[in-house]
Each structure stands twice: as C-alpha cells, then as structure tokens.
Amino acid sequence: NRATRKSMGEHCEEMAKAWNVTRDAQDGLALASHEKAVAGQRTGFFDELIVPVAGMARDGFPRADTSLERLAKLQPAFDRTSGRGSITAANSSPLTDGAAGLWVATVAGLERLPARAPRARLIDWEIAAVDVFTEGLLMAPAYAIPRLLARNRLGYADIALWEIHEAFSAQVLCNVAALESRDFVRQNAGVDADLGRFPWERLNPNGGSVALGHPFGATGARILSQAVKELAAMPKGSRAVVSICADGGLGTVALLQNE
C-alpha cells in the first residue's frame, strides 16, 4: 500500500494477530481450496470457463499432492522475526498471469447470447472502505456484506453460495470472524441484526484464489464467472454473494440470484 508503505501480506499479518487467526486454520483453508479446485478440474467444471492459450487449457497452481504436513513446512513470508508470523506462500494467493471477462447485459441483450450460457441476475451491490492506518487493510468486506444483506432483509443462511476472494487464507478467516461478531457488525458495519452463523460449507465450492491464483485486474471477473456458473446449476431463486477485497482498503460485494 503506497500510503502505509506496507505490503498486503504485512497488513494481513497484523489482521491475523488482531483476530487471533492461527496458522493451522490458515493452512486448513488453503488445503480445502486446493482440494476443491482439483476436484473441479477433474469433474470438468472449469472446461467451459477457460479459453486455451498456447496449448494451456488448465490452471497450473491447484495441487493434488499437497497436505497439511507439507503446508506446515513452509516458513512465514511476511513476518520472519517476531516468532508469530503465520502467513506463508502456501496459504496466500499466488500472483499469476491471466485475463478474464464476462457479459453484463440487459434482458434484451441476453437474447444475443447463446441460450446455454450460464447467467444470473445482479440484485444489488455494496462498496465499503476502511481507514488503512487504523483498521485492517483487507477488512472492508466485513463492512459491506452485512449492509448488503440487511438492506435486502437477508441473513447468512439465505445465501446458497459464497464466492469470497482468497487474497490470503487469513483474510478470509478474519472477515468471517468479523461477520460472526454481533459487536463488530453493529459497531463497525452499523447493522443491528443477528445475521446468524456463516455457512462455511457453502464457501468457494470449486476452490478459490489460494489455489487458482490472483492475476491482478482479472480476479473479479474470474470469481464472478465462476459464481454465475455455480449458481446457474442451483434451484431457481438461489442467491450468491461475491466478495472482493482490494489493496486500497476497499471491499466490493455483489448479490446475485439464479432466475
């Protein structure tokens, strides 16, 4: 971050310490991301989402051979001196080359697209920001999500699919901890409602950025396209929340529905 002179990893280390997020929990989320991404590759989920380039038709980062034991061997990447560093190369999103795109259309515009193309309706969105000098740099989604849901009179259990950008495993864990904190939601997000338990079982069902990579400028479209395809296979009326955090302290969240 240009203002604070700290990297996103350094900021996220501060968040992990503030929210008491353990190394084991981070590695566990990273392993799950790889396992789900590999499973998605094997079932062909990604085949229609990827345009082959120079003979490459599959993301190369998801690892079928990783394990908690292997992940535990990596050293902290951003805090190497305090003895409390927990963010490693393995529980962070890898920086990759990539491009992504999707169609945003009106009802009339949809008639120009192939009928079989997965589609979802954009119901609402919310953008939040935090003070990067006093708050966690990547915590803005924990402000935006409660506001978005409360405005639409929804709780966490009403969302069938959660696609949350995994900049770091710790970032996801910190944000969910905040979402489940009634005090944080009330005092910080300004939402005085019990939104319930976060449904971890509905998170990133085909893997997230820790396994699939984080090409700057393309991740938002990649996650949205993945969410639209996942949502299209669910019953009509199912809803999805797509959440992106950004280096400038921003959190951008969208509410989608399968119609």
Side-chain angles (χ1 to χ4, degrees):
N1 183 276
R2 293 181 179 179
T4 63
R5 304 298 181 183
K6 298 177 185 177
S7 69
M8 284 195 290
E10 290 172 319
H11 273 285
C12 202
E13 274 284 8
E14 294 175 354
M15 289 164 48
K17 293 178 176 65
W19 286 93
N20 296 314
V21 171
T22 67
R23 167 72 181 273
D24 288 345
Q26 294 175 55
D27 287 350
L29 192 150
L31 177 62
S33 186
H34 280 278
E35 290 177 338
K36 289 185 284 190
V38 169
Q41 289 179 329
R42 288 173 176 169
T43 62
F45 171 82
F46 295 103
D47 292 353
E48 292 183 344
L49 295 176
I50 295 177
V51 177
V53 176
M56 297 293 294
R58 172 173 290 190
D59 289 314
F61 273 97
R63 298 177 181 271
D65 61 347
T66 194
S67 66
L68 288 176
E69 290 73 24
R70 288 190 174 190
L71 296 180
K73 293 179 181 179
L74 275 77
Q75 298 300 310
F78 301 101
D79 178 359
R80 302 176 182 178
T81 59
S82 74
R84 298 176 59 210
S86 59
I87 298 179
T88 70
N91 56 40
S92 308
S93 58
L95 300 182
T96 59
D97 293 324
L102 67 161
W103 290 100
V104 179
T106 62
V107 174
L110 288 176
E111 297 177 358
R112 302 171 60 184
L113 299 177
R116 67 181 181 84
R119 59 193 63 186
R121 181 185 175 193
L122 174 61
I123 301 296
D124 200 356
W125 69 90
E126 179 77 16
I127 299 176
V130 298
D131 183 339
V132 299
F133 294 100
T134 61
E135 302 172 87
L137 178 74
L138 304 177
M139 290 299 297
Y143 291 69
I145 290 173
R147 294 169 184 169
L148 177 67
L149 295 182
R151 186 165 62 244
N152 288 275
R153 299 182 180 180
L154 299 171
Y156 302 141
D158 296 313
I159 306 303
L161 168 67
W162 293 82
E163 276 290 344
I164 297 180
H165 170 42
E166 298 169 352
F168 304 89
S169 291
Q171 166 257 321
V172 177
L173 291 161
C174 289
N175 274 268
V176 173
L179 292 176
E180 291 191 321
S181 168
R182 287 288 304 276
D183 288 341
F184 182 95
V185 170
R186 181 174 57 255
Q187 296 170 11
N188 296 67
V191 173
D192 190 13
D194 184 1
L195 300 176
R197 180 191 70 87
F198 182 82
W200 282 103
E201 67 278 7
R202 302 176 188 177
L203 173 69
N204 299 351
N206 286 282
S209 301
V210 164
L212 297 169
H214 180 23
F216 286 174
T219 289
R222 192 276 297 169
I223 293 177
L224 274 168
S225 62
Q226 187 166 323
V228 168
K229 181 172 181 180
E230 291 162 344
L231 189 62
M234 295 180 176
K236 297 296 183 181
S238 297
R239 304 179 187 91
V241 164
V242 178
S243 172
I244 306 287
C245 60
D247 178 38
L250 297 176
T252 304
V253 180
L255 176 64
L256 309 177
Q257 183 169 313
N258 178 11
E259 294 192 340

